Amino acid sequence: MKKLIADKIMELSPYKWYGKVTRVVGLTIEAKGPQASVGELCYILVGKKFNKKVKAEVVGFRDENVLLMPLNSTSEISPGCLVEATGKPLQVKVGYSLIGKVIDGCGELLDGMSLPKGLASFPTESAPPNPLLRPRITETMSLGVRAIDTFLTVGKGQRVGIFAGSGVGKSTLMAMIAKKSAADVNVIALIGERGREVKDFIERDLGEDGLKNTVMVVATSDQPALMRIKGAMTATAIAEYFREQGLNVNLMMDSVTRFAMAQREIGLAIGEPPTTKGYTPSVFAMLPKLLERSGTSVAGSITAFYTVLVDGDDMNEPIADAVRGILDGHFVLERQLANKGHYPAINVLKSISRVMDDIVSTEHKQIAKKVRGVLSTYLEAEDLIQIGAYKRGSSPDIDQAVALYPDIIRFLQQTTEENVSLTDSVERLVQQFGKEVL
């Protein structure tokens, strides 16, 4: 113990490193010094007596100048302001007493109150678990959403993308999962959201019951780009902390697209070349670093859900394409279904869970596959059926699809108040469709 304390003392520097702001260009602050490394947290001392501190992070270097990106407003920064290096990256306070709280991207309570006592410091950025030490996904996770639990079964530690345009029900689906899933704790990150929607989500969608088992991290669209990135990193760090305590954690992030847009802003500001649709190379380097941190570890699991905004419902835009290639499955929310009043608006034929076959029973797998086939058969022949061009008896498969289609649609629909477990959903699937399709 004494040796450990002595080693820590030897690591301490007797000096503080300072630099001076030379200019502010767009989103970046250039400073002559201090001695610092990329990712290090610095304080810019502002005010007449330099008694206020603005948090900033080192994002790069230009010639002999340090490039910083602020986590707060830059309104009081002027030439000559002192820049103080901390010697370490941003850390946040985490612990069980954080559950039920709403915090910002730096880990401070959003209502301005002081953090609870007894929290431990935890780095916002860390390496993903060693792939050889990751346990395989072998257990199902009940989410309480019938369409997912039966046709897109999720396992503990799986990472899933929720792909949708605006206004198709992403937030409602996230709230359903938060309230109904079998996870020990939820961590929800709202990245780049409109300020109005934050309270709407907490009070209308999540509710008091959902919040009492949840840590919420909020970085609204008006905040600096770096704060939006830190919001995603902080939420992931909090989920990692609870995973290391042996818990099964649900991490929900809305949205990865706005995280990528924030990184694009930073990349363009420090001189990166724009590539695919204006996104810089650092965006596609950051995505796997963020998304790979969730999943299983030897202690616990993080089951993660990342929403992806798709412009004009284009599922092949760059961010959607990159995220789909990293994750273990994706749910596609379709505007056409939402327009018909079909909620949750999940298109099960366009969605996939890459671990479902490994974690469900053979009977469940077979019936789900057959029902998907029936649904596909109906949709392929739907135009003929609707205009009356199909004659009954021409195809046994289409006849079966016409008979079962209304029941399948009713089975897939679910209100936000309806509580169902994975076991209940699978039993209903077997009883309702088992004899019909096998």
Side-chain angles (χ1 to χ4, degrees), residues 343-395:
Y343 287 102
I346 301 170
N347 186 324
V348 295
L349 298 180
K350 292 183 179 179
S351 307
I352 190 170
S353 168
R354 291 192 175 120
V355 303
M356 178 178 173
D357 287 354
D358 298 329
I359 59 176
V360 302
S361 66
T362 303
E363 183 184 38
H364 177 184
K365 191 192 312 180
Q366 288 177 342
I367 295 173
K369 185 178 179 181
K370 292 288 187 181
V371 174
R372 287 172 71 116
V374 170
L375 186 59
S376 177
T377 298
Y378 181 88
L379 293 177
E380 286 175 3
E382 185 175 25
D383 290 344
L384 293 176
I385 295 166
Q386 295 293 340
I387 64 173
Y390 174 73
K391 292 184 179 180
R392 189 172 180 177
S394 301
S395 166

Side-chain angles (χ1 to χ4, degrees), residues 6 9 28 95 98 128 233 298 316 326 342 355:
I9 292 172
T28 58
L98 210 58
M233 296 295 186
V298 290
N316 295 315
I326 297 167
H342 179 121
V355 303

Side-chain angles (χ1 to χ4, degrees), residues 21 23-25 27-31 44 66-68 70 74 77:
V21 172
R23 65 174 181 165
V24 177
V25 181
L27 301 175
T28 58
I29 300 160
E30 287 193 24
I44 301 173
V66 178
L67 300 180
L68 300 128
T74 60
I77 297 173

Side-chain angles (χ1 to χ4, degrees), residues 157-159 236 239-240 243 249 251 293-296 300-304:
Q158 187 174 349
R159 301 158 306 143
T236 306
E240 286 173 328
R243 177 176 64 185
V249 186
L251 170 63
R293 288 170 62 182
S294 53
T296 58
S301 68
I302 299 174
T303 307

Side-chain angles (χ1 to χ4, degrees), residues 19-20 30 45 58 76 134 161 186-187 251 273 285 314 362 381 405:
K20 280 190 176 183
E30 287 193 24
L45 308 181
V58 179
E76 294 184 86
R134 281 186 187 264
N186 301 304
V187 180
L251 170 63
D314 176 15
T362 303
Y405 181 74

Side-chain angles (χ1 to χ4, degrees), residues 27 33 49 64 73 109 165 188 203 233 244 255 303 318 329 343 350 385 407 410 413 422 433:
L27 301 175
K49 297 182 179 179
E64 295 181 1
S73 171
L109 291 180
I188 300 178
E203 294 183 358
M233 296 295 186
E244 296 313 304
S255 70
T303 307
Y343 287 102
K350 292 183 179 179
I385 295 166
D407 291 334
R410 280 193 292 271
Q413 291 178 329
L422 184 145
F433 300 108

Side-chain angles (χ1 to χ4, degrees), residues 164-393:
S166 56
V168 188
K170 297 186 303 301
S171 297
T172 305
L173 180 60
M174 283 173 55
M176 285 178 70
I177 293 171
K179 289 188 287 187
K180 301 173 190 295
S181 79
D184 298 315
V185 64
N186 301 304
V187 180
I188 300 178
L190 300 182
I191 308 301
E193 279 288 352
R194 292 179 286 272
R196 176 190 61 81
E197 291 192 344
V198 174
K199 203 160 187 180
D200 281 353
F201 180 82
I202 294 170
E203 294 183 358
R204 182 193 64 200
D205 296 331
L206 196 58
E208 191 176 335
D209 289 340
L211 185 60
K212 68 183 180 184
N213 195 39
T214 299
V215 180
M216 281 199 63
V217 182
V218 175
T220 51
S221 58
D222 60 293
Q223 292 183 306
L226 189 60
M227 183 64 102
R228 281 174 267 150
I229 288 174
K230 289 302 175 189
M233 296 295 186
T234 295
T236 306
I238 293 169
E240 286 173 328
Y241 170 82
F242 287 121
R243 177 176 64 185
E244 296 313 304
Q245 308 306 307
L247 301 183
N248 294 313
V249 186
N250 264 358
L251 170 63
M252 287 169 272
M253 190 176 295
D254 184 16
S255 70
V256 172
T257 306
R258 294 191 181 110
F259 167 85
M261 288 176 175
Q263 180 57 36
R264 176 173 64 181
E265 285 181 42
I266 292 174
L268 292 173
I270 63 175
E272 276 193 85
T275 53
T276 314
K277 283 199 173 180
Y279 288 101
T280 57
S282 63
V283 173
F284 301 100
M286 287 278 283
L287 282 173
K289 288 181 181 178
L290 175 71
L291 303 179
E292 286 288 353
R293 288 170 62 182
S294 53
T296 58
S297 77
V298 290
S301 68
I302 299 174
T303 307
F305 301 89
Y306 300 98
T307 69
V308 181
L309 284 167
V310 285
D311 295 333
D313 298 326
D314 176 15
M315 298 296 167
N316 295 315
E317 63 96 26
I319 299 304
D321 207 37
V323 170
R324 190 166 48 236
I326 297 167
L327 299 179
D328 308 316
H330 55 271
F331 305 155
V332 176
L333 304 188
E334 201 160 75
R335 193 175 302 279
Q336 189 177 1
L337 291 174
N339 291 342
K340 293 178 181 178
H342 179 121
Y343 287 102
I346 301 170
N347 186 324
V348 295
L349 298 180
K350 292 183 179 179
S351 307
I352 190 170
S353 168
R354 291 192 175 120
V355 303
M356 178 178 173
D357 287 354
D358 298 329
I359 59 176
V360 302
S361 66
T362 303
E363 183 184 38
H364 177 184
K365 191 192 312 180
Q366 288 177 342
I367 295 173
K369 185 178 179 181
K370 292 288 187 181
V371 174
R372 287 172 71 116
V374 170
L375 186 59
S376 177
T377 298
Y378 181 88
L379 293 177
E380 286 175 3
E382 185 175 25
D383 290 344
L384 293 176
I385 295 166
Q386 295 293 340
I387 64 173
Y390 174 73
K391 292 184 179 180
R392 189 172 180 177

